[in-house]
């Protein structure tokens, strides 16, 4: 076929036509043409055909793994981005295990005073709050941090601009932003060399196999002791000496149960922000007529589920003077449509991206966690402010964020949708019960989720790994 037509369609951003023509070209060349494979997967990415992108990119990457590891990693990352079946993810993990350098028997200095954190990138956004709190909390435990970025998504097939994505942030740590020059292997080698040169003996890898450069650095074993910190999916490759899971469900589902592993939950600095914020009042946001107020924070797509919206609507129908607040980013259309059909929309307020929700917490009486994705940070903010947070208990094999493991209070954890509504009903009818449960969640927050607990738990875990 005439390949010029395919590339012309791609250049003109007619991705649907380009994908059809490039698929034929890829088949004709047996998926052996670098130019066509790149163009074809780029077209699939822009058309949103994730299933086809995952399949093609995985097969191309697998064919390159032996003779061209750098290109294989590039295509594996394309496949992971699109969503890959667990058996194929595991296959990629086995390739990294084959590439892995041998473990080194090195005596670790005790006590540990320096650690490295390997992260994809750092941005001045809420996603990096965890890292900020962690390095500060570790410093309070006498442990200094160095942060090495991998810039895994910079200078890549859908983001070709050759500049790092990381931006200046306030971190109490030595930050090394990676160069994006060269292929995936060259980039990984420079990061590994930097970690080795630092002399740091323990490195935390905050990422999974979807960040192929991060995984390759781990396979090179630049630090004698390496720990994977799972912020969602763990890195499915045997490259580590220990694993930290931010969710209890992640710990329970790990394939690496023979390694030192621990659930160290997220932390939240809401108490500090509450002290520094001027609280809002109900009249200030037009809620003068409200007898009680509930809220849900975070991505609106997590609140768009029909079961959750049914529950919110039923609560509002039972209490004609009850109002509900949504604060978060996303398209409000689906949420508004459902609430309008239930006749409760006039008592709902959409506040958009509120950023720091601390000033809003004084306004609400209870927090209604969305389900099945509950958003852990928002639940902790409510708990830290002493607001009872109602959560739906996730199924045992669920990979969704489980608010139940954070709230940890039976009376606020609903086994089903009807129970969720009943818990809200009881709390809204009984101010004394609200006060008792509010104190219970505040006590749990202070015992488990203050930022200082991160450093304490990491230090204790390090001690167990080094002894092992």
């Amino acid at each position: 076929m005439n390949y010029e037509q395919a590339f012309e369609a791609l250049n003109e951003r007619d991705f649907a036509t380009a994908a059809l023509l490039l698929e034929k070209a890829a088949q004709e060349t047996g998926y052996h043409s670098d130019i066509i494979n790149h163009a074809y997967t780029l077209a699939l990415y822009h058309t949103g055909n994730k299933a086809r992108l995952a399949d093609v990119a995985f097969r191309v990457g697998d064919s390159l793994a032996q003779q061209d590891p750098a290109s294989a990693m590039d295509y594996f990352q394309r496949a992971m981005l699109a969503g890959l079946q667990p058996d194929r993810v595991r296959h990629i993990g086995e390739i990294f295990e084959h590439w892995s350098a041998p473990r080194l028997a090195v005596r670790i200095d005790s006590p540990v005073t320096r650690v490295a954190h390997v992260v994809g990138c750092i941005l001045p956004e809420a996603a990096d709050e965890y890292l900020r709190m962690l390095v500060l909390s570790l410093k309070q435990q006498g442990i200094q941090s160095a942060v090495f970025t991998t810039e895994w998504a910079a200078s890549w097939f859908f983001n070709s601009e050759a500049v790092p994505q990381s931006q200046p942030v306030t971190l109490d740590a030595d930050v090394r932003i990676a160069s994006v020059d060269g292929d995936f292997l060259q980039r990984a080698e420079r990061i590994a060399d930097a970690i080795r040169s630092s002399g740091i003996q323990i490195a935390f890898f905050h990422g999974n196999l979807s960040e192929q450069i991060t995984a390759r650095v781990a396979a090179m074993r630049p630090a004698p002791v390496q720990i994977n910190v799972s912020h969602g999916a763990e890195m499915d490759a045997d490259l580590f000496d220990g694993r930290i899971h931010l969710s209890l469900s992640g710990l329970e589902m790990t394939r690496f149960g023979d390694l030192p592993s621990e659930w160290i939950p997220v932390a939240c600095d809401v108490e500090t922000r509450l002290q520094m914020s001027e609280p809002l009042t109900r009249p200030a946001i037009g809620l003068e007529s409200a007898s009680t107020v509930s809220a849900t924070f975070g991505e609106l797509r997590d609140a768009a589920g029909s079961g959750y919206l049914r529950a919110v609507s039923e609560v509002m129908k039972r209490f004609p003077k009850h109002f509900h607040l949504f604060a978060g980013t996303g398209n409000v259309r689906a949420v508004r449509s459902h609430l309008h059909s239930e006749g409760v929309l006039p008592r709902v307020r959409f506040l958009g991206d509120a950023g720091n929700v601390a000033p809003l917490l004084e306004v609400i009486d209870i927090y209604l966690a969305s389900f099945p994705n509950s958003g852990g940070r928002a639940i902790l903010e409510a708990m830290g402010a002493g607001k009872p947070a109602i959560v739906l208990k996730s199924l045992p094999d669920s990979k969704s964020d489980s608010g139940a493991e954070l709230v940890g209070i039976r009376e606020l954890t609903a086994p089903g949708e009807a129970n969720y509504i009943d818990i809200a009903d009881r709390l809204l009818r009984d101010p004394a019960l609200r006060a008792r449960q509010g104190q219970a969640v505040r006590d749990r927050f202070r015992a488990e989720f203050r930022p200082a607990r991160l450093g304490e738990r990491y230090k204790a875990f390090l001690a167990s790994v080094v002894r092992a």
Side-chain angles (χ1 to χ4, degrees), residues 145-318:
S145 294
V147 177
F148 298 82
T149 76
T150 63
E151 306 302 320
W152 66 275
S155 189
W156 195 34
F157 85 114
F158 71 85
N159 180 32
S160 58
E161 189 175 356
V163 295
Q165 288 189 310
S166 293
Q167 299 175 22
V169 297
T170 303
L171 273 181
D172 201 349
D174 176 21
V175 178
R176 319 276 184 90
I177 296 176
S179 165
V180 298
D181 295 332
D183 61 28
F184 275 29
L185 184 55
Q186 293 166 333
R187 292 164 67 176
E189 285 174 341
R190 285 196 298 268
I191 299 165
D193 286 342
I195 296 172
R196 291 190 193 100
S197 298
S198 73
I200 295 175
Q201 296 180 299
I202 297 176
F204 296 100
F205 286 77
H206 300 258
N208 54 50
L209 283 174
S210 65
E211 299 181 11
Q212 288 279 287
I213 297 176
T214 306
R216 182 68 183 197
V217 174
M220 293 177 178
R221 297 195 184 279
V225 174
Q226 300 188 159
I227 298 168
N228 182 218
V229 182
S230 172
H231 292 251
E234 67 181 352
M235 192 176 291
D236 197 357
D238 185 13
L239 308 174
F240 302 99
D241 307 286
R243 293 180 181 258
I244 290 172
H245 296 267
L246 271 60
S247 72
L248 182 58
S249 58
L251 174 63
E252 292 171 345
M253 292 188 292
T254 182
R255 283 198 321 102
F256 304 96
D258 56 329
L259 292 175
S261 301
E262 189 166 339
W263 172 43
I264 299 182
V266 293
C268 183
D269 64 350
V270 67
E271 289 185 313
T272 299
R273 286 185 283 116
L274 283 168
Q275 293 173 358
M276 298 174 62
S277 300
E278 185 69 28
L280 289 171
T281 62
R282 291 183 180 177
I285 54 176
L287 301 181
E288 299 92 339
S289 60
S291 59
T292 52
V293 179
S294 57
T296 305
F297 306 140
E299 295 279 353
L300 285 179
R301 66 170 177 262
D302 293 336
S306 58
Y308 169 72
L309 291 177
R310 279 196 306 268
V312 173
S313 300
E314 177 60 26
V315 170
M316 298 187 74
K317 289 176 182 178
R318 294 186 184 187

Side-chain angles (χ1 to χ4, degrees), residues 23 45 72-73 77 84 95 103 117 126 132 149 203 235 259 261 294 303 306 331 339 382 388-389 449 461 466:
E23 180 172 10
Y45 169 76
M73 292 158 57
Q77 188 161 292
L84 204 57
I95 291 173
R103 282 184 168 87
H117 302 273
R132 281 196 289 267
T149 76
M235 192 176 291
L259 292 175
S261 301
S294 57
S306 58
N331 192 333
L339 297 173
F449 306 117
F461 183 69
V466 171

